[in-house]
């Protein structure tokens, strides 16, 4: 050991006490002894440990799946999937022809063409989601001659229209056009020729002669020409009831004429016009009328017309 490497000894000051004994230098020793444990067989592993080991292995494999399930089945993803499904369903419903009303059967029609009923309903070619059966039935009921209507709608494109028509009881002829008279005295366009029904013609009044002095002929001057369309929406009740009663008493009468001033009349086959007015007293008027006809024939007088509109004051005009 060189001089430089020799440990330096501290010099004790002379004024200090007795010298202390040098302590030996301490060294840190790390030692470990391995103890060999006895080998335990696999069959001797406790059940709890084996269950724990299996559970740990299972958890290690299921953690990724659980995370994936958590993402898929989250509220946000479920809402998005439901939205996409709804959009797809609406698209298919809007484009698929099976959801459109293409075949519409109509029942209960007698004279109104089914095509006219379907056109009035507005259901032809409509989508099932936009069809309103109540609104369609209301539009059909507005057609002339329809008493009631019913529209039945079923999924996906089944629809049926059922109507009840008003039965005509007479024909109203005016200005070259014919209208049906319903039981409610309404006038509706005649769609088919009426066979066997009484015809009431609203005739254009003739211009009276200057020497005409009768009440009926004077009233005729106040009448106007007939319009090509029906002048009234319905026939007065006394006019319709009088015409039907007159037809019942005289079944050979198939046509009557009507003027507001003189009422109902018909052309007698013996060569003159007979005026009967209105009302339901046609039985008494016919009795008075036949009495006048018998008297004129006995006196060999050919009348131009006979009026019993007022049965208490009948009159006639000779040719």
């Amino acid at each position: 050991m060189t001089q430089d490497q020799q440990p330096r000894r501290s010099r004790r000051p002379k004024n200090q006490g007795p010298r202390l004994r040098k302590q030996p230098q301490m060294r840190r020793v790390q030692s470990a002894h391995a103890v060999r444990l006895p080998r335990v067989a696999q069959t001797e592993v406790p059940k709890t440990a084996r269950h724990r080991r299996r559970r740990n292995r299972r958890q290690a494999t299921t953690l990724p799946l659980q995370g994936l399930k958590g993402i898929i089945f989250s509220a946000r993803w479920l809402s998005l999937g439901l939205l996409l499904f709804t959009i797809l369903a609406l698209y298919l419903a809007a484009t698929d022809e099976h959801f459109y009303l293409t075949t519409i059967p109509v029942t209960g029609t007698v004279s109104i063409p089914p095509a006219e009923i379907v056109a009035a309903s507005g259901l032809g070619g409509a989508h099932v989601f936009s069809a309103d059966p109540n609104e369609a039935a209301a539009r059909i009921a507005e057609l002339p001659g329809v008493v009631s209507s019913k529209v039945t709608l079923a999924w996906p494109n089944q629809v049926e229209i059922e109507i009840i028509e008003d039965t005509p009881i007479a024909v109203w002829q005016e200005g070259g056009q014919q209208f049906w008279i319903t039981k409610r005295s309404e006038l509706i366009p005649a769609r088919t020729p009426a066979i066997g029904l009484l015809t009431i013609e609203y005739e254009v009044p003739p211009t009276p002669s200057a020497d005409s002095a009768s009440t009926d002929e004077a009233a005729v001057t106040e009448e106007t020409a007939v319009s090509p369309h029906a002048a009234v929406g319905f026939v007065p009740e006394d006019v319709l009831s009088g015409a039907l009663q007159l037809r019942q008493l005289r079944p050979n009468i198939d046509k009557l004429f009507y003027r507001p001033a003189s009422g109902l009349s018909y052309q007698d086959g013996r060569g003159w016009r007979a005026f009967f007015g209105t009302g339901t007293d046609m039985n008494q008027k016919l009795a008075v009328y036949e009495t006048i006809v018998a008297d004129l024939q006995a006196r060999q007088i050919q009348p131009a017309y006979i009026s019993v509109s007022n049965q208490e004051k009948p009159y006639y005009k000779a040719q």
Side-chain angles (χ1 to χ4, degrees):
M1 181 178 296
T2 62
Q3 186 177 358
D4 294 336
Q5 294 177 346
Q6 291 180 356
R8 292 181 182 178
R9 296 179 180 178
S10 61
R11 296 180 180 180
R12 181 176 63 86
K14 296 182 179 180
N15 58 354
Q16 289 184 355
R19 184 178 178 179
L20 298 177
R21 185 177 178 179
K22 184 180 178 178
Q23 299 294 328
Q25 186 177 0
M26 301 296 293
R27 290 188 307 172
R28 179 179 296 178
V29 179
Q30 295 180 355
S31 63
H33 299 279
V35 179
R36 188 178 181 85
L37 297 176
R39 188 175 181 179
V40 182
Q42 183 68 25
T43 57
E44 297 177 0
V45 177
K47 294 183 178 181
T48 56
R50 285 184 292 176
H51 292 330
R52 188 181 303 110
R53 185 183 301 173
R54 293 174 182 174
R55 184 174 63 251
N56 294 338
R57 291 177 180 175
R58 191 182 301 112
Q59 289 178 355
T61 57
T62 56
L63 281 177
L65 295 177
Q66 290 179 356
L68 184 60
K69 290 181 180 179
I71 295 176
I72 295 177
F73 293 100
S74 63
R76 182 175 299 175
W77 285 101
L78 287 177
S79 300
L80 180 59
L82 182 60
L83 177 61
L84 294 177
F85 176 78
T86 304
I87 294 175
L88 178 61
L90 291 177
Y91 173 76
L92 293 177
T95 56
D96 194 347
E97 61 180 6
H98 292 89
F99 293 99
Y100 287 86
L101 306 178
T102 55
T103 303
I104 305 177
V106 181
T107 60
T109 58
V110 178
S111 60
I112 305 177
E116 185 177 350
I117 300 293
V118 175
S121 67
L123 297 177
H127 196 275
V128 65
F129 289 157
S130 63
D132 188 351
N134 296 328
E135 183 180 355
R139 289 196 295 262
I140 295 173
E142 295 178 356
L143 288 176
V146 177
V147 177
S148 64
S149 62
K150 179 181 178 181
V151 179
T152 305
L153 190 64
W155 184 264
N157 61 347
Q158 303 296 324
V159 63
E160 183 178 358
I161 300 176
E162 182 180 357
I163 69 168
I164 299 178
E165 291 189 35
D166 201 350
T167 306
I169 58 177
V171 177
W172 180 273
Q173 184 174 344
E174 180 178 337
Q177 294 186 354
Q178 287 189 345
F179 303 88
W180 284 349
I181 306 175
T182 65
K183 294 181 180 180
R184 296 180 295 180
S185 301
E186 296 178 350
L187 294 178
I188 62 175
R191 297 180 177 87
T192 58
I195 301 176
L197 293 179
L198 174 66
T199 300
I200 303 175
E201 181 180 350
Y202 186 91
E203 61 178 355
V204 178
T207 303
S209 58
D211 57 348
S212 176
S214 64
T215 305
D216 289 291
E217 292 297 321
V220 166
T221 59
E222 299 177 0
E223 298 183 359
T224 58
V226 179
S227 156
H229 303 284
V232 294
F234 63 94
V235 180
E237 184 179 358
D238 57 343
V239 175
L240 181 59
S241 59
L244 296 177
Q245 186 182 29
L246 194 60
R247 171 68 180 276
Q248 183 180 6
L249 295 173
R250 292 290 179 88
N252 60 326
I253 298 177
D254 56 359
K255 186 175 184 179
L256 291 173
F257 302 91
Y258 173 73
R259 300 178 187 176
S262 55
L264 296 168
S265 64
Y266 77 94
Q267 186 67 31
D268 196 302
R270 290 168 286 190
W272 59 81
R273 179 70 66 88
F275 294 89
F276 289 88
T278 59
T280 56
D281 54 349
M282 295 299 174
N283 194 11
Q284 294 86 349
K285 291 180 178 180
L286 277 175
V288 175
Y289 173 73
E290 293 298 337
T291 302
I292 296 175
V293 170
D295 179 69
L296 293 177
Q297 288 181 344
R299 293 186 293 166
Q300 297 182 354
I301 298 176
Q302 181 68 19
Y305 64 85
I306 300 175
S307 176
V308 290
S309 299
N310 185 357
Q311 57 179 332
E312 297 180 357
K313 296 181 180 180
Y315 58 91
Y316 68 94
K317 179 182 178 182
Q319 291 183 353

